[in-house]
Amino acid sequence: MSTSRDRVEDTYELQNDNRLEDLHSKLRTLRGVTTDIYDDAERQNSTLDESRNTFNSFGASLAQSSRRAGQAFGLTGGGVKQWRNIGYCVAAIVGLWFLWRILHWWWASPSP
């Protein structure tokens, strides 16, 4: 009878060992999945940080461009005044008109 009982205990022991090995396997799989999730989260955080830095740099560049445009058109202090830009444009147009008239007079053929 002792051998029968030893066999049953051996069977239970073998089943316990198999179940323990299954648990270890599942634990290794779970550990691997957890590590993969952590690595993915770190990559995403790194990508978000890079995107944030890029947008901050773009915002600073845009603000600087806006300030320069404001100064160029006299909208903010310390820049060229708007009337000066308008004066330059009018002077350029009048100068081109005079040049055209002089060249037209110079190359004009005499009328018969």
Side-chain angles (χ1 to χ4, degrees), residues 3-15:
T3 47
S4 168
R5 182 172 235 175
D6 287 341
R7 268 192 261 161
V8 170
E9 287 179 7
D10 287 344
T11 304
Y12 287 151
E13 189 68 31
L14 185 61
Q15 287 176 351

Side-chain angles (χ1 to χ4, degrees), residues 3 10 13 24 27 35 37 39 43 45 54 61-62 76 80-81 83 85-86 95-96 102 106:
T3 47
D10 287 344
E13 189 68 31
H24 282 293
L27 202 81
T35 302
I37 290 172
D39 291 342
R43 279 192 302 273
N45 282 337
T54 300
S61 176
L62 187 62
T76 60
V80 178
K81 298 296 179 199
W83 61 267
N85 284 335
I86 292 171
L96 287 174
I102 290 171
W106 186 269

Side-chain angles (χ1 to χ4, degrees), residues 1-102:
M1 180 129 170
S2 168
T3 47
S4 168
R5 182 172 235 175
D6 287 341
R7 268 192 261 161
V8 170
E9 287 179 7
D10 287 344
T11 304
Y12 287 151
E13 189 68 31
L14 185 61
Q15 287 176 351
N16 283 341
D17 289 343
N18 287 339
R19 301 250 188 221
L20 189 62
E21 184 58 38
D22 287 343
L23 281 174
H24 282 293
S25 174
K26 288 178 183 179
L27 202 81
R28 282 191 295 272
T29 303
L30 185 61
R31 215 177 267 152
V33 168
T34 304
T35 302
D36 290 343
I37 290 172
Y38 176 79
D39 291 342
D40 187 48
E42 286 297 314
R43 279 192 302 273
Q44 288 180 7
N45 282 337
S46 175
T47 302
L48 286 173
D49 287 341
E50 289 173 13
S51 297
R52 183 182 310 122
N53 291 340
T54 300
F55 279 114
N56 286 340
S57 173
F58 175 73
S61 176
L62 187 62
Q64 185 178 14
S65 296
S66 176
R67 277 193 304 275
R68 286 182 182 168
Q71 287 177 348
F73 293 112
L75 301 175
T76 60
V80 178
K81 298 296 179 199
Q82 189 172 6
W83 61 267
R84 193 178 297 174
N85 284 335
I86 292 171
Y88 290 149
C89 290
V90 169
I93 290 171
V94 169
L96 287 174
W97 182 77
F98 274 125
L99 182 64
W100 177 71
R101 294 297 287 169
I102 290 171

